[in-house]
Amino acid sequence: MSRLWILIAFFFVYQAKANPLNPGPITFPKAEILNENTARIPFKLIDHLIVVEAELYNKKGNFIIDTGSETLILNKVHFPNQYRQPEKFVKSSGVLDNANAYEKYLEEFILKNFSLKNTNSHVIDLSHIEKRKKMNLMGIIGYSILKDYEVFVDMHLNQITLSRIDKKGDKLDPRGYLEKITDSIEFKLQNHSIVVNTLVGDEKMNFALDSGAEFNQLNNQQSKKVLKYFVPSKRMVLVGASDKKAEVLAGKLYRVKLSDKVYFGPMNTIITNLNRMSEAFGVNLDGVLGYEFFAQKRTIINYRKEMLYFIEYPINFQN
């Protein structure tokens, strides 16, 4: 049986406020600062994870960009007890099981000359991910950081552009993008999560958009009308938030589209139980769109307007 370790998203729900700490700022040394409101950050792909380099407490390392995570998550391995003051534990709900975390309060989160005040973070042991991905993992950047920006995830150039937005969702940087926006769709922000109306064949479904999902996911409770568009190929091992494992069926999902103009080629997908994820989102989820989505669509996310915008890939004239 073919096996592959998969990292999927973490879904964190606040249950208590932490006592204030006085940490140093987080900086992104490789960011290209266009102006005080816009920055481009190069990323690398580790397997199918979007990873940026950042520095915190004078330690450099990798952070995963994860739209499925509610908050900033710090790896307990790199931020041990010497940084802890009295705090309260919080619970996290993942796809497979629950994981224990404690909450830290960051007075300031800085992206070069970008600054976010009063940012919460969760601390959890992510050593099992470091081991399997063979990477130095400082943490995960989620919704609580990304929501204040229009976020352009560009798999063509391997970079993320963050442009600060106002309360209405309008960019503070008046300049447009260098390339033309060709399509757009609305989404529903459910708690911290992006939920899009999706068609698989002719079946209407709710899918979450999660940049931390290495493969698309389809709920194993779907009807045969939907599963007929899924072509299985092998079994794989799924790893959850607290290192719990489950065997899943993997293959390709066909006939996925968001509108008559926004559609996708076959996407690598796994069949799994999404009940816990649905509970975390507060909505019944039929599936998750992850790396495979961003690999086919250069995507701009605007949380406040609840809109996705798409920029086409350049035409490849090679035969």
Side-chain angles (χ1 to χ4, degrees), residues 93 191 274-283:
S93 56
N191 293 330
L274 297 179
N275 288 344
R276 293 185 183 276
M277 192 183 301
S278 295
E279 291 175 6
F281 285 4
V283 63

Side-chain angles (χ1 to χ4, degrees), residues 28-254:
F28 292 74
K30 294 185 178 180
E32 177 188 358
I33 305 301
L34 302 184
N35 55 52
E36 63 180 357
N37 293 309
T38 304
R40 295 193 188 112
I41 307 172
F43 66 77
K44 56 188 175 183
L45 288 173
I46 296 182
D47 291 337
H48 290 163
L49 298 172
I50 299 173
V51 177
V52 297
E53 181 180 304
E55 184 175 339
L56 176 63
Y57 298 123
N58 297 317
K59 297 180 181 180
K60 288 185 179 180
N62 297 312
F63 278 76
I64 296 169
I65 301 294
D66 183 2
T67 61
S69 173
E70 181 180 0
T71 185
L72 173 67
I73 302 169
L74 302 180
N75 189 353
K76 184 179 178 180
V77 173
H78 299 291
F79 304 100
N81 291 341
Q82 71 229 49
Y83 297 117
R84 292 177 62 179
Q85 291 183 3
E87 71 283 301
K88 295 183 180 180
F89 282 90
V90 294
K91 290 184 178 180
S92 66
S93 56
V95 174
L96 296 179
D97 55 0
N98 292 331
N100 289 323
Y102 63 85
E103 189 174 71
K104 294 181 74 172
Y105 182 86
L106 305 182
E107 289 187 343
E108 190 172 27
F109 182 105
I110 297 178
L111 168 60
K112 285 282 182 132
N113 55 343
F114 285 31
S115 180
L116 296 174
K117 303 293 184 180
N118 305 327
T119 300
N120 283 316
S121 68
H122 284 130
V123 181
I124 189 172
D125 187 349
L126 302 177
S127 59
H128 58 287
I129 300 171
E130 285 192 303
K131 181 178 179 181
R132 292 194 177 94
K133 296 300 178 183
K134 298 179 180 179
M135 64 184 289
N136 171 280
L137 178 60
M138 304 286 283
I140 299 171
I141 296 172
Y143 166 77
S144 66
I145 302 299
L146 301 176
K147 64 180 175 60
D148 294 322
Y149 301 92
E150 192 165 85
V151 183
F152 180 13
V153 182
D154 189 347
M155 288 284 187
H156 173 62
L157 297 177
N158 276 24
Q159 70 181 18
I160 290 178
T161 301
L162 297 181
S163 188
R164 191 185 294 276
I165 55 179
D166 61 22
K167 292 181 180 180
K168 294 181 179 180
D170 295 325
K171 290 200 306 173
L172 298 180
D173 185 348
R175 297 177 302 173
Y177 295 99
L178 296 177
E179 297 167 87
K180 184 179 179 181
I181 293 175
T182 57
D183 293 296
S184 64
I185 63 162
E186 297 178 354
F187 67 82
K188 183 177 181 181
L189 188 60
Q190 192 72 31
N191 293 330
H192 63 280
S193 303
I194 297 169
V195 179
V196 293
N197 293 325
T198 306
L199 287 171
V200 179
D202 295 324
E203 300 298 313
K204 295 181 179 179
M205 310 179 76
N206 287 326
F207 275 61
L209 182 59
D210 179 4
S211 64
E214 294 192 67
F215 288 80
N216 289 357
Q217 298 161 40
L218 187 64
N219 197 334
N220 59 11
Q221 298 178 3
Q222 292 306 319
S223 69
K224 292 181 180 180
K225 291 181 180 179
V226 174
L227 292 177
K228 70 180 181 181
Y229 299 111
F230 174 77
V231 179
S233 60
K234 59 185 175 180
R235 292 191 175 275
M236 307 170 79
V237 173
L238 189 69
V239 181
S242 61
D243 204 20
K244 187 175 180 180
K245 308 171 187 67
E247 188 175 284
V248 298
L249 186 63
K252 287 188 180 294
L253 185 63
Y254 293 78

